[in-house]
Amino acid sequence: MSEILLLLAAVLGLATLFVHSIFGEKYLIGPLVNSGEGVMRNDLAQQVVRFAWHLTSFFGLIAIYILAKAAYDFAAADIALLAVTGSVFLVAGIYDAIVTKGKHIGWPVLAGVGALTLFAII
């Protein structure tokens, strides 16, 4: 059961990362960078904003790897690392829900990855 929950969390997280990069670029980062307003008049600022946005997705791959590896070999999994990973996702989802008043599409997915991970280790 734990393996299935972790695998679901990893798949959900991976899908989220793709959506984050693709839709974020199309609907948020692209228009922001191309606006040429404020700090976005600076080429370096444009590059840093785009880089930082996509870097979060690449860092997310580390978390997804942790979940997938634990799903593959749960007996050898680091439970503390899974607890931290699940907690970060859950807190991020809850925080996102609060500050966006539930309007951001990402909060239930982030919270879901966290909840699945934490349920897998209890």
Side-chain angles (χ1 to χ4, degrees):
M1 177 69 163
S2 296
E3 293 88 347
I4 293 169
L5 292 175
L6 290 171
L7 184 59
L8 286 171
V11 169
L12 186 60
L14 188 60
T16 302
L17 293 176
F18 282 113
V19 169
H20 178 264
S21 274
I22 294 167
F23 286 95
E25 178 66 36
K26 182 175 181 180
Y27 295 110
L28 180 66
I29 299 304
L32 175 67
V33 167
N34 294 330
S35 74
E37 295 181 20
V39 72
M40 289 299 117
R41 285 184 237 142
N42 182 301
D43 186 54
L44 178 60
Q46 292 175 0
Q47 297 309 314
V48 169
V49 166
R50 180 168 274 133
F51 171 76
W53 180 266
H54 294 292
L55 183 62
T56 59
S57 291
F58 283 111
F59 281 152
L61 289 174
I62 296 168
I64 300 312
Y65 174 79
I66 290 167
L67 298 176
K69 181 135 175 62
Y72 177 73
D73 188 7
F74 188 74
D78 182 339
I79 301 302
L81 182 59
L82 289 173
V84 169
T85 303
S87 296
V88 167
F89 271 97
L90 183 60
V91 168
I94 292 169
Y95 177 79
D96 187 21
I98 292 168
V99 299
T100 67
K101 297 182 176 113
K103 294 178 183 174
H104 182 246
I105 192 172
W107 80 263
V109 183
L110 293 170
V113 170
L116 287 167
T117 302
L118 294 173
F119 282 132
I121 61 173
I122 60 172

